[in-house]
Amino acid sequence: MAFSKRAVLVQKLLAADVRRNLLRAGITIGADVTFRGRPIVDRHPGSSITVADGVTVISDPRWTALGVARPTIIRTLTAHARVEIGRDSGLSGVTICSATSVSIGMRVLCGADVFIADTDFHPVDEIPRSGMPLPASNPSHSVTIEDDVFLGARTIVLKGVNIGHGSVIGAGSVVVTDIPPMSIAAGNPARVIRTVKTQ
Ligand SMILES: CC(C)(COP(=O)(O)OP(=O)(O)OC[C@H]1O[C@@H](n2cnc3c(N)ncnc32)[C@H](O)[C@@H]1OP(=O)(O)O)[C@@H](O)C(=O)NCCC(=O)NCCS
């Protein structure tokens, strides 16, 4: 993708402004974090959001081949929540919502419009659901995506899931159970289809 000098300069100014605003909002941002477009980041008081060195956050469809349907959105929903994005990972139009913990390892590639949540947002076994408070933090609902995972575009990762290091999740998959390391999994629900071939 080629950009004019002016577009690059505008993007640099915007990225500096994003960084300033996030630091002011109590988000921990490492060195050399690249922002393309303006993400939406909301930190619930008392919770933590950490973006490690070298992470790329894309929120503007012009800056990635596949485009993104929305800005990257990172939200903590309770005082106990924790979101960690590991070193050199990439987020393209990703939505992450945490009531407990969403931990993304190093060098994780999140394809366009991935959705990760560690809560159902609404009660499942109580009626009426409307107007009920958010379900409380629950450690068994934590989501962990280990180092070097590749999440295909529009993957959905739901509560309580651990995706082992080096694994790949096929585009459009819905991950509801743990995926072992170095596996390729796909579908709804995502199932292992083979292992990653290494030399
Ligand atoms: C998962 C993926 C890596 C597998 O690639 P592959 O190893 O070449 O697999 P194949 O195309 O040979 O497919 C193997 C089987 O998995 C199924 N499959 C592959 N991708 C699938 C997907 N996303 N959802 C459901 N099933 C899928 C195939 O239908 C095939 O099933 P079969 O054995 O019953 O015929 C690839 O299909 C994929 O989804 N890549 C993600 C691309 C992407 O989103 N990039 C992000 C850009 S931002």
Side-chain angles (χ1 to χ4, degrees), residues 64 66 92 110-112 150-153 168-173 184-187 193-194:
T64 178
L66 203 55
S92 290
C110 296
F150 169 22
L151 302 178
V168 179
I169 308 298
S173 299
I184 301 188
I193 55 178
R194 67 175 176 86

Side-chain angles (χ1 to χ4, degrees), residues 132-143:
M132 295 292 277
L134 183 80
S137 295
N138 180 342
S140 72
H141 290 175
S142 296
V143 170

Side-chain angles (χ1 to χ4, degrees), residues 122-130 132:
H122 301 287
V124 173
D125 295 315
E126 279 172 67
I127 305 283
R129 299 187 180 94
S130 151
M132 295 292 277

